[in-house]
Amino acid sequence: MDKTWVYGGLRVADGQAVTCTAASRNSVNYQRFLELGEAANPAGDILVITDNLSSHTSVATRTWLADHPRIRQVFIPKGACWLNLQEAWWRLFRRQALAGQCFADAAEITLAARVATCQLNQRARPWVWGRRPPSPRHRRRLFMYRL
């Protein structure tokens, strides 16, 4: 059975995402993903919030990052994956691309990821974590029903 990994990045300011698929999680594929992220963000610094996989901390990746000073990695603490704020976006992506699907091969997964990314980017909005505050109307109804 073949595995296919999906790399993804989210630009918080406007909700645009970049994804790519790879046959393995290694430094070469991670650097390919970083190149896509760099191309999608032509100006300004890029902060990549990432976990502590060996492909993210390898000598090859650190050397590559030294040649691309706009990109900086920020590592989440070990054992605190809930701090990765992109997990909510991954939930949306998995629902859009993978839920209820059966894939015959890696090419179909790549196509599904590409289509889902385009669809999510078409309706992207600035990314805000957490819940919206309840409306004043909600509070008024709550107050009235409790009396």
Side-chain angles (χ1 to χ4, degrees), residues 12-138:
V12 177
D14 61 3
Q16 293 292 311
V18 174
T19 59
C20 74
T21 57
S24 64
R25 287 195 303 185
N26 59 24
S27 298
V28 172
N29 290 324
Y30 181 60
Q31 292 164 26
R32 185 170 60 92
F33 166 68
L34 291 176
E35 288 172 355
L36 291 173
E38 187 176 35
N41 298 285
D45 290 340
I46 301 170
L47 294 174
V48 180
I49 301 171
T50 186
D51 52 10
N52 291 287
L53 287 176
S54 61
S55 61
H56 300 165
T57 58
S58 69
V59 173
T61 299
R62 288 190 312 234
T63 304
W64 188 90
L65 287 168
D67 294 335
H68 298 83
R70 288 191 324 121
I71 301 176
R72 291 185 300 158
Q73 292 189 104
V74 179
F75 293 100
I76 58 174
K78 290 182 181 178
C81 63
W82 52 271
L83 289 176
N84 188 349
L85 300 177
Q86 190 179 355
E87 291 299 327
W89 182 86
W90 275 115
R91 187 183 73 236
L92 296 174
F93 176 81
R94 282 191 303 268
R95 189 179 320 147
Q96 186 82 25
L98 309 175
Q101 304 274 349
C102 281
F103 299 105
D105 57 9
E108 288 186 4
I109 296 172
T110 300
L111 178 62
R114 192 172 296 142
V115 168
T117 303
C118 288
Q119 290 173 345
L120 289 170
N121 282 344
Q122 285 177 350
R123 61 179 188 262
R125 294 187 317 254
W127 195 256
V128 178
W129 283 275
R131 296 182 183 175
R132 292 186 180 127
S135 68
R137 179 100 178 121
H138 168 77

Side-chain angles (χ1 to χ4, degrees), residues 138-147:
H138 168 77
R139 285 190 215 112
R140 191 175 315 130
R141 269 193 312 247
L142 190 65
F143 177 71
M144 294 301 287
Y145 289 131
R146 285 188 179 169
L147 285 177

